Amino acid sequence: MSPVVVARQAESQLVLPSPAVSFNPAGFQVVRVPTWMWIPPVQWRPVTATAQVPGVSVTATGTPSSVQWDLGDGSQVTCPGPGTPWQPADDPGAASPDCGHVFLRPSADQPGGTYAVTVRVHWHVDWAGGGQQGAFPDLTSATTVQVRVEEVHSLVTGVHSR
């Protein structure tokens, strides 16, 4: 059997994780406040699968290459990596260094009062075995989450003139 045929079998056995999505601020997003977006770094690693027939063993490797965020508000952001998880020591008003968005409208007028955010991880797929190697077209894994975006108004009180 041809190594390419066995490689297709290995590719079909790849188990690409659906992205687990995180945002900061946690809970709901706020209009005009930078949103940090990321998937867990543990999901940003190659996955492999091997197929064998007598005399030929081929391994397919899927390597994450980018993350596409369709934010439900008409915006799309593509990040070259998983994004940086927000930490409590980070400035809550600062933009993410590598994967963020600023919502400009609340989601109240959307179905369910939320934006449907679809996150797609693109995977480059290579294979090697049987004395040959090659690549297949990229694969994707995706998930959709509902994100509430609110407009927050503030009122300053207790200010005294001198």
Side-chain angles (χ1 to χ4, degrees):
M1 185 174 287
S2 160
V4 174
V5 173
V6 180
R8 286 267 180 225
Q9 292 175 353
E11 177 197 30
S12 73
Q13 296 172 17
L14 284 172
V15 178
L16 305 176
S18 294
V21 179
S22 295
F23 296 93
N24 193 73
F28 63 90
Q29 302 311 299
V30 179
V31 170
R32 299 196 187 282
V33 172
T35 296
W36 289 40
M37 310 178 306
W38 69 94
I39 61 173
V42 68
Q43 286 190 330
W44 197 259
R45 68 179 195 285
V47 295
T48 62
T50 300
Q52 297 179 355
V53 297
V56 179
S57 176
V58 177
T59 298
T61 302
T63 304
S65 58
S66 65
V67 183
Q68 179 182 343
W69 300 75
D70 291 312
L71 293 152
D73 65 350
S75 299
Q76 187 179 84
V77 173
T78 300
C79 302
T84 300
W86 187 84
Q87 302 295 323
D90 292 326
D91 177 357
S96 168
D98 57 0
C99 195
H101 179 63
V102 175
F103 288 95
L104 299 178
R105 295 183 327 266
S107 59
D109 65 343
Q110 299 297 305
T114 60
Y115 288 122
V117 175
T118 300
V119 181
R120 291 177 186 84
V121 177
H122 295 267
W123 300 80
H124 181 75
V125 182
D126 292 309
W127 63 270
Q132 296 182 26
Q133 61 185 14
F136 291 125
D138 285 0
L139 297 175
T140 60
S141 59
T143 193
T144 299
V145 297
Q146 302 302 313
V147 176
R148 187 168 45 111
V149 179
E150 294 189 2
E151 201 161 28
V152 176
H153 299 275
S154 60
L155 176 65
V156 178
T157 63
V159 177
H160 300 284
S161 305
R162 294 188 191 224

